[in-house]
Amino acid sequence: MKYTVILCLVFTLNLFAQGKTDGFYRGKGNVLTAIGAGFEDYKSYYAGKEQLDLQRTAYYINIFAAYGITKDLDVQVALPYIASDENKNLQDVSLFLKYRFLTVKNEKHALELSLGSGVSTPVSDYKLGGLNDIGQQATVIDTRFLVHYQYNYNWFVTAQSGYAFKSNPTPNSIPFTLKLGTTQSSWYFDVYYDYQHSFGGIDYRGTPFPQDFRALGSDFNKVGTTIFKSITNNLGAYTSASYILSGRNTFEGPAYSFGLTYDFKKTDPKQ
């Protein structure tokens, strides 16, 4: 099975991401690269928890790479470029490590436990002060605990959560992601639910005024899906769609992305 093609398409917008990582590992010495593009077509905005008729369209390009240091230790890096109205710039670079510390398996079942930690920080002086901001100019230290279960090595469920420590005045947050999917020969498919809860922070159009948008607290409920197809043994293509259902200080509406991956494989991912 082509587990190395499970995509970290997730580093688009730092606030609205499909989990920081996945439950699969690249394999020692293997490198996975990806380039993607997409857009968000948001229809309304939750100022605090009050839904307002405020719209936004944003576009992005994202580059990503992951490397298997050992069979149980991966490192990954990503950097997006985002354009929202007049705000156009590189956003936050992300570096993330993931370690698998327990594996229990037999012929049909596999249960794996992993710990992950990473940091993201702005690489440009992008503007703040409106709903077209492309980030919050915050440095984030993200910790994750992952539970990954596979049945018959085709179907899987991954749950992850942790704690995100954010530079003042951006409030810290707890993320949670649940993902279900399958790998069938050259195809990969998943559906997921993504949630974030922030501790405190101010609300959009709240007090004090003028507002420091770094201090906004953002909660969201999001669902999405990803489809991947291998084109050759190394080259693949993906498409994904998501929808933010509700939240606090967050947009509501759909987002879409597509891209290509290239897998520089040296070893079996299980080695």
Side-chain angles (χ1 to χ4, degrees):
M1 299 301 170
K2 298 181 179 298
Y3 295 134
T4 59
V5 304
I6 308 306
L7 307 173
C8 294
L9 333 162
V10 300
F11 296 93
T12 52
L13 289 174
N14 217 18
L15 292 176
F16 311 130
Q18 183 208 127
K20 279 293 183 186
T21 187
D22 58 34
F24 295 93
Y25 284 77
R26 311 285 82 86
K28 183 178 180 179
N30 293 336
V31 178
L32 174 67
T33 60
I35 183 167
F39 70 97
E40 300 160 339
D41 187 23
Y42 295 141
K43 303 301 184 183
S44 62
Y45 183 81
Y46 288 92
K49 294 189 176 181
E50 180 185 359
Q51 192 170 15
L52 304 179
D53 186 21
L54 298 174
Q55 300 182 3
R56 167 174 139 158
T57 301
Y59 302 88
Y60 62 85
I61 298 174
N62 187 57
I63 56 174
F64 166 84
Y67 174 70
I69 300 173
T70 71
K71 70 171 185 175
D72 295 315
L73 180 63
D74 276 10
V75 60
Q76 59 194 46
V77 62
L79 179 63
Y81 177 90
I82 304 172
S84 178
D85 196 26
E86 297 299 319
N87 292 342
K88 304 173 184 179
N89 219 325
L90 294 171
Q91 195 217 30
D92 303 339
V93 63
S94 300
L95 179 69
F96 199 85
L97 280 168
K98 176 179 61 177
Y99 174 66
R100 178 170 51 197
F101 65 90
L102 179 65
T103 300
V104 180
K105 62 182 178 180
N106 58 27
E107 291 182 356
K108 287 193 174 182
H109 306 273
L111 176 66
E112 300 174 347
L113 304 182
S114 298
L115 291 173
S117 183
V119 61
S120 63
T121 192
V123 295
S124 67
D125 188 25
Y126 52 80
K127 297 178 181 179
L128 294 174
L131 293 183
N132 286 302
D133 291 353
I134 64 173
Q136 286 185 281
Q137 286 284 356
T139 295
V140 181
I141 297 175
D142 203 316
T143 61
R144 297 291 172 110
F145 175 71
L146 294 92
V147 179
H148 182 69
Y149 169 75
Q150 297 179 55
Y151 173 71
N152 205 30
Y153 296 91
N154 293 107
W155 298 88
F156 71 89
V157 178
T158 305
Q160 61 174 291
S161 188
Y163 197 87
F165 302 87
K166 303 181 181 182
S167 58
N168 190 51
T170 306
N172 299 337
S173 64
I174 289 179
F176 173 77
T177 302
L178 179 65
K179 184 183 296 184
L180 296 83
T182 183
T183 59
Q184 301 291 336
S185 184
S186 63
W187 288 90
Y188 166 89
F189 172 78
D190 73 36
V191 294
Y192 67 89
Y193 168 72
D194 200 18
Y195 169 79
Q196 176 176 283
H197 171 73
S198 294
F199 294 96
I202 63 174
D203 290 335
Y204 179 67
R205 291 186 177 177
T207 55
F209 186 85
Q211 291 185 304
D212 183 349
F213 276 51
R214 296 174 301 165
L216 287 178
S218 179
D219 304 343
F220 59 83
N221 293 277
K222 175 182 177 182
V223 293
T225 183
T226 303
I227 300 174
F228 173 88
K229 177 69 170 68
S230 293
I231 299 172
T232 69
N233 192 43
N234 300 94
L235 183 66
Y238 71 86
T239 184
S240 66
S242 63
Y243 198 99
I244 297 177
L245 302 169
S246 62
R248 170 186 171 228
N249 300 317
T250 186
F251 282 96
E252 178 267 337
Y256 311 92
S257 66
F258 58 92
L260 296 172
T261 69
Y262 193 86
D263 200 354
F264 298 88
K265 290 181 289 189
K266 293 183 177 180
T267 63
D268 188 296
K270 299 178 183 178
Q271 300 300 314

